[in-house]
Amino acid sequence: MSHEQNREPGRGMGNDRPEVPPGDPWTRLPSMAPATPPPAGGRPGEGVGAVVPGGLAPLAARVRTAPGDGGAPGARVVAPSPLDPGASRDPHGIHRTLREEFPRTYDPLLRAWVLSRYADVATALTDSRFTHGHRPGDPPCARAHVDVDVAALRSVTERTAYVLARRIAERPQADLVADFCHWLPAGTVAAAVGVPYRDMMRLVRGRAAGALAGECGGQIAVREKALASFLGNVLSDPDQVAALRDAPADLVGRAWAESLRRDPPVQIAVRRTAAEVPVSGGVLPAGASVALLVGSAGRDPERFREPDRFDPLRDDPGQLTYGSGFCPAVILAGLEAEYALRALFTAMPRLRLADGFRPVWTGLITRAPRSLIVRPGG
């Protein structure tokens, strides 16, 4: 199969530029313009943990001394950046190096300290010493939502999923990202707030979404990517297809959480320290921007056994994309995953990936397959 079959119509794949859902403070990053170098010699009294003018940290925060392997003894190795060329297609090698060798490093492109280990990222997402941002489902988010009818959300999610699945069931080939994942999160919200189908995409990403989900209205784009990753993980493994085809809701829920761990839709979240915070590799200064590598944390071998493997039955589950509190965006995401599988397998019992096609995950800030080419009839 040619590369063109891995390309979603109308969406190029040659651009490594980050994709950030509009209006979502959780995924908003600081300026990525290169930092201005500090004056020669820096400031007197600066230590390894200080941030110097222009956003650069002292060099010691970004290098380590490595033993010579046939080269100069004591060679200095500079920490890689999550924004390095090629990271959009394969960030995992960069994440591994950061976890193992630079668990706390300053990135001049991000203008932020970078944390990559599960323990540190999980702390930063929940500790009061970190401010500026939340995940849907975190306590501040949960307190903002009242009078949400979960039964009604379930009903509209189920109905929307089955309508979309039937629309593609008779095709010889389809792209589940363009024809299903792109429409289910938006269509669910549209149905829930009574937006006519013809006006769905015009309104649902604005005031209609906000009417349902408040601050989490921008999560529609994130849910779209999370759903694409979930379906990509399931359909890539025939054993998972067989196990989840008629699975009870709790097993589908475990598979959904496992996909969020292995391939979170948002790879980098930003926080700011309100005080000095000890982390792996040193201390973060107060008032500093901190980039949390959610994608790296979900594959930390210190937290998860065989972290690169998709295993809904693992006995060490966990994910950092959503908090555990009540939130319409969190509920909808889980319902969309459940009814997506049920609707697709009901309408297309022999659904499988097209011959020779394998999902390709891309993206720096948000990440998911750009296309999922399937054969609805097997």
Side-chain angles (χ1 to χ4, degrees):
M1 173 168 288
S2 72
H3 292 297
E4 288 301 313
Q5 290 173 289
N6 288 334
R7 189 186 303 269
E8 182 179 344
R11 298 190 186 185
M13 296 181 65
N15 193 338
D16 276 357
R17 200 175 297 171
E19 297 179 26
V20 183
D24 184 358
W26 183 51
T27 59
R28 191 174 298 138
L29 286 171
S31 169
M32 293 183 187
T36 302
R43 291 187 314 192
E46 286 173 341
V48 169
V51 179
V52 299
L56 283 172
L59 189 60
R62 295 182 281 118
V63 302
R64 67 176 177 84
T65 300
D69 294 324
R76 305 177 88 185
V77 181
V78 178
S81 170
L83 304 183
D84 280 350
S88 174
R89 281 298 186 97
D90 184 14
H92 306 302
I94 292 173
H95 290 173
R96 188 178 305 112
T97 298
L98 289 171
R99 284 195 306 267
E100 294 175 356
E101 303 177 20
F102 302 94
R104 183 217 59 153
T105 185
Y106 189 84
D107 190 307
L109 292 177
L110 286 168
R111 292 179 178 265
W113 292 88
V114 175
L115 300 180
S116 50
R117 293 181 178 175
Y118 180 93
D120 295 326
V121 172
T123 296
L125 289 170
T126 56
D127 195 299
S128 61
R129 291 172 295 178
F130 292 83
T131 61
H132 296 185
H134 79 281
R135 295 169 299 168
D138 282 347
C141 170
R143 290 192 293 268
H145 302 297
V146 294
D147 300 327
V148 175
D149 189 336
V150 177
L153 294 184
R154 179 177 292 276
S155 176
V156 297
T157 303
E158 180 179 20
R159 183 168 66 251
T160 305
Y162 276 88
V163 168
L164 291 171
R166 286 194 294 267
R167 286 168 62 98
I168 61 178
E170 300 303 319
R171 301 180 189 177
Q173 184 167 291
D175 180 354
L176 290 185
V177 172
D179 301 327
F180 189 88
C181 299
H182 182 61
W183 296 98
L184 181 57
T188 298
V189 173
V193 299
V195 175
Y197 181 83
R198 64 182 180 276
D199 297 328
M200 179 173 66
M201 294 308 294
R202 181 169 60 86
L203 293 178
V204 78
R205 295 177 185 272
R207 63 178 182 272
L212 174 69
E215 292 183 27
C216 301
Q219 286 290 312
I220 288 175
V222 174
R223 288 179 6 240
E224 175 185 328
K225 291 181 179 293
L227 182 60
S229 287
F230 175 59
L231 295 179
N233 278 320
V234 172
L235 293 174
S236 293
D237 185 345
D239 291 337
Q240 296 299 338
V241 171
L244 294 170
R245 187 180 302 278
D246 298 306
D250 62 335
L251 180 55
V252 176
R254 292 180 67 175
W256 168 242
E258 171 69 349
S259 184
L260 293 176
R261 174 201 69 80
R262 183 179 184 274
D263 294 295
V266 175
Q267 294 284 300
I268 304 176
V270 175
R271 297 294 184 269
R272 182 173 293 275
T273 54
E276 288 190 349
V277 184
V279 293
S280 301
V283 176
L284 296 176
S289 291
V290 185
L292 312 176
L293 301 190
V294 178
S296 172
R299 297 195 184 209
D300 188 343
E302 294 297 318
R303 172 61 176 81
F304 302 103
R305 286 185 296 280
E306 297 184 81
D308 295 332
R309 186 163 66 94
F310 178 70
D311 180 11
L313 299 179
R314 66 169 55 247
D315 59 6
D316 57 348
Q319 58 87 17
L320 296 170
T321 295
Y322 293 120
S324 58
F326 178 85
C327 171
V330 177
I331 294 171
L332 279 171
L335 292 174
E336 286 157 2
E338 176 184 352
Y339 285 110
L341 282 189
R342 298 199 190 289
L344 290 170
F345 287 144
T346 297
M348 296 163 272
R350 294 187 296 276
L351 177 70
R352 63 175 177 84
L353 293 177
D355 294 338
F357 178 85
R358 298 294 293 179
V360 176
W361 273 256
T362 62
L364 288 171
I365 311 304
T366 60
R367 183 172 177 81
R370 294 285 184 90
S371 60
L372 289 172
I373 309 301
V374 297
R375 301 280 295 180

